[in-house]
Amino acid sequence: MPEKKTFYITTPIYYVNDVPHIGHAYTTIMADVIKRYKKLMGYDVYFLTGTDEHGQKIEQSATSQGLTPQALADKMVRHFKALWKTLNIDYDYFIRTTDRYHEEGVKKIFKKVIEKGDIYPGDYVGHYCVSDESFVTDSAEDSGDGNKICPDCGKVTQKVTEKCYFFRLSAYQDKLLTFYQENPDFVLPKSRMNEVVSFVKMGLKDLSVTRSTVSWGIPMPGDKEQTIYVWFDALTNYITAIHYNDEDEMFQKYWPADVHVMAKDILKFHAVYWPAFLMAADLPIPKQELIHGWWLKDDRKMSKSVGNVLDPHVLLKHFNPDAIKYFLMREAPIGADGNFSHEGFITRVNMDLANDWGNLVSRTGGMTQKYFNQRFDSEAVYSPKEQTIKDQYLELENEVTELFDQYRFNRGLEKIFNYVGQLNKYIVESEPWILAKDPAKRDVLAGVLKTLIRAILSANTLLSPVIPDTAEKIKKIFNYDASGLGWKDPGEIFHINQIEQLFPRVEPKDFFADEGADVDKKKKKEKKPEKEAEEEPLPEGMITFDDFKKVEMVVAKVLDAEKVEKADKLLKLTVDTAADTRTLVAGIALYYQPEELKGKKIIIVKNLKPVKLRGILSQGMILAASGPDDRPYIPILPEETPVGAILK
Ligand code: ME8
């Protein structure tokens, strides 16, 4: 068998000054999605994540918490590992920069660069940003008290005067520019590559790579007074984790890395310093760096001081990890910033995952159980429609793999969900509930349901890198065990297992009622005056917007309509609300024929308490204008109105 192609992917190693938030989760989820996708494409993948534990920032944080830096790191590592476990992140190795072998590896590469003659002693007099662990140039804006404002994070810098050792970064300016020219896709997206090139063209100064005033770091080989600069230490994790110390088979197999994933804040360190260090150590340079955007919360950069840092656990209380993964991958194009709002999150998850995907699976499984008692007992007959569903899938698979290969997950997912929409439409158009009434059409019904099961299982594989837990559940429902892409043909007999609800719908009001206090304290505060105003007595006959919102009105499609026996005025309607199929009984039979309404999009009140009319349970109410003599006029919506759309 030919050897599998390898793929080595990394996340940044995160600082242990605090617990992880949604931004850290985003990078790690993205790397996990890429790993699962590459595995699906047949690669031997190695996925590294971990923690960055040395340096002044951690030292200061530990002191302020009354802990040793090591104790703080040990505590925070537990938080990171626990979150990755909850989110089902399939990493292969978790590196900590306080691990012995890492320290040895850092010393090894440092010595190599000394031997090359690229490290020399000197004095650093200038500014330092502790938050970014970064040296800030004199050209940065003054803070007014003799310090500078860090151009990257906006925090006030520290003045530093110390003996140190410099790395001859200036000597690598031309080599780096040549490297970028020869590898124009080294940084993705292109706009970030251009930024790097401009930065290097502006001129590179030698870089201080040791600190004499910071003790929490790896001692410099050959000078006990110095510790190695935390970025030199941290970047080296990408090689020490895969056995740079021995340069054994593992190192030969996976280095250079295929992709380092990160946000734009640490681009300079990865795309300028790291390749220069590697060049100095005569080591190959990683193939690519994937730079994603910044997650903002309510349009503002997440920061502890603003108090808008989003804790993934708040979401995990109500939603499963796949919902979070889907939202993060679906919402922001690679490279662009994404805005996180709880409303946007809940809407996206309810619409795509609960309504479209979850319902498609449960309706198909449910109908198969109901009409075939879990086993198909007849031959299947297929129409050209079924061939179209298959062809559309094969085209979709080509398009999606092309997009996923370019890490354009949002576009790929958009396409998959367009296809899911087509499948839901196919159910409505094929009318399995009508076919089920006619024993002569049993083979046609079998054809429709088998096509749906095949399409679901096929699309499920495409979705599996992003929502892996759900993908496993779906395979279990349909008793299907194989993996791999392609149109699924799981034989003639399907056995449907217990159907569990994949994505329970979470109503925003329930989420906010439960989480309101900690999701957005600021918002709550702002809302207070409004609430007081509301408490003034309402003018007679007026309702508040909150009163109005209690009525859930949605667009429903009439699937079937028939007269109710021995009740002249009543019609029984079967409607599709996107979330479910339900029965309504309406007093409209004197004015509307069943045929007139079939296939029409109407408005229904969804949350009206169900009542029994002539022995039939009516689950909601049709909206109609009432003319003289109570003649109803039903508003019929344009064909393109989406089923399930909310009226508000
Ligand atoms: O920089 N949106 O660690 P760090 C998107 N230790 N991604 C975000 C984010 C947000 N709001 N906030 C954080 C360090 N991230 C160094 C790295 S690597 C050799 C050393 C993600 O804990 C994103 O990947 O500050 C960003 O680059 C990283 O966390 C910074 O993590």
Side-chain angles (χ1 to χ4, degrees), residues 443-491:
D443 47 4
V444 179
L445 179 62
V448 169
L449 291 176
K450 284 185 179 185
T451 303
L452 281 166
I453 295 173
R454 291 194 170 105
I456 287 171
L457 289 172
S458 306
N460 190 42
T461 314
L462 268 187
L463 283 170
S464 64
V466 182
I467 48 173
D469 297 344
T470 311
E472 280 308 308
K473 286 183 196 160
I474 291 175
K475 278 164 77 176
K476 273 208 192 98
I477 291 175
F478 294 104
N479 235 354
Y480 182 76
D481 203 24
S483 48
L485 288 167
W487 179 250
K488 302 289 186 298
D489 195 351

Side-chain angles (χ1 to χ4, degrees), residues 12-15 21 23-24 27 52 231 234-235 237-238 262-263 265-266 270 292-295:
I13 47 171
Y14 305 111
Y15 287 128
H21 61 64
H24 304 111
T27 316
D52 189 355
W231 270 103
L235 288 161
N237 91 89
Y238 300 131
M262 73 202 80
D265 54 335
I266 52 178
H270 282 80
H292 62 66
W294 210 244
W295 274 98

